Amino acid sequence: MSELGNDTRRLIEMVKVISKYKVAQGITPDKFCDMMKELGPTYVKLGQLLSMHPEVLPMEYCKKLESLRTDASHLVAAQIRDIISEEYGKPWTSVYQRIMPFPLGAASIAQVHEAILLDGTHVAIKIQRPDIYETMERDVRLLKKAFSIVKIKGINDVVDLTDTIEEMWKVAQEEMDFIREAENIRTLRKNCEGIQYVYCPKVYDELSTKNVLVMEYIGGCELTDKEALLAEGYDLDEVCTKFVNNFIKQFAEDRFFHADPHPGNVRVWNGRIVWLDLGMMGHLSEKDAELVKQCMKGIFSNDYKAFADGSLSICKHDPNIDKEAFYERMRVYIEKYRVISMEDMSSTVDIFADLYHICRDFGVQVPTTYTMFWRSMSVMEGTVSDLSPKTDLAAIIGKHLAAQNMLGGIAGAITKSVSHRKLISGKPLSYNGHEQEPDEEISDEE
């Protein structure tokens, strides 16, 4: 009875907010974004997810919803200290000298604070918002009930909103499990071993719990803070090239990649690109990784059939699909974006919106893992285009993929090993007072 009462009260709250914004009369991107924030963390997370789905919402809504990634209300310092004390079962002062009152960042599920341990060690603490799991679980239950009754014209025709809610809830549950995130950090740190220009902060396991994650403090600046990077003497093209190379290594070799590489989750510090916020990571099977590489090679070599075949191998589709018509749509698609430079591209998300529209027209169902990968590629590409528009993304990815597929047999294995090692290890990033020897180039003759 109590659960029913809580559900009813929450439903009334939701209806009041939605009525306030008069959605039946139409709603602007700004008001839609404001409404999602007012409805609470579940809707903020849903908005974040929808911002990555231009096949569901028009582009102007997607772009506005991107602000929900970092635009969140802050827990006050007293709340943070109480949460930590309760989580540890002892006063926070028995562990920390000081916890800085203003967060380094705040999101719908958690916020991060700079702190100093009793021994003087500088750390960052990620603290989960109180009762966030119960709040989101209830909202998801109510949303699924609502969408089973109400069909939204123009959206239900494109995507199953119940499936979208399920995807959001799965992602949110993973992000709320800090034990899982700590394991993700350890895995990425291991994958980064031997790469001098990439780093991932270490976790203080003895201080971390399911709701509190304590990590090494990372300074520096955001990846897209062009002014700060130039002031430090970084070469923007070098930063972008190595950022892309490491991301390609994550999916193509490690098959474990950052699923949300937006600028707030990547910093440049002491000559290294540092990956942060590893609550949402993508996993590819060996077979899917090879198929994704086939798709990418098709794009960058202008082989539309290879791209189409790779896409069909990954996605569910009718075995009697009109392949010739599908090939033709893919040919036009590849040709359209092949001739657009990153500098001239209005929005990298357009690339994936167009791809989804083609798949929808042919009844091709794109699996979540594949969606996550292309979404990450879109975010990564957008970051590079903002930071260094003249950086040739196609050349970087093409060289990386070629390093793994240059020759056959024993000679080829040796060549690929040597070339690939040069490509991914590299030197730390050059910056003021820390000039590095130039990286060795991979020649076509190797």
Side-chain angles (χ1 to χ4, degrees), residues 251-252 255 257 282-292 369:
F251 91 81
R255 307 197 307 278
F257 61 92
H283 301 259
L284 288 172
S285 67
E286 186 172 355
K287 177 184 176 182
D288 280 348
E290 288 303 316
L291 289 171
V292 168
T369 301

Side-chain angles (χ1 to χ4, degrees), residues 210-223:
K210 191 174 186 295
N211 301 306
V212 173
L213 181 61
V214 183
M215 301 161 285
E216 175 184 4
Y217 176 80
I218 299 296
C221 60
E222 283 193 5
L223 181 65

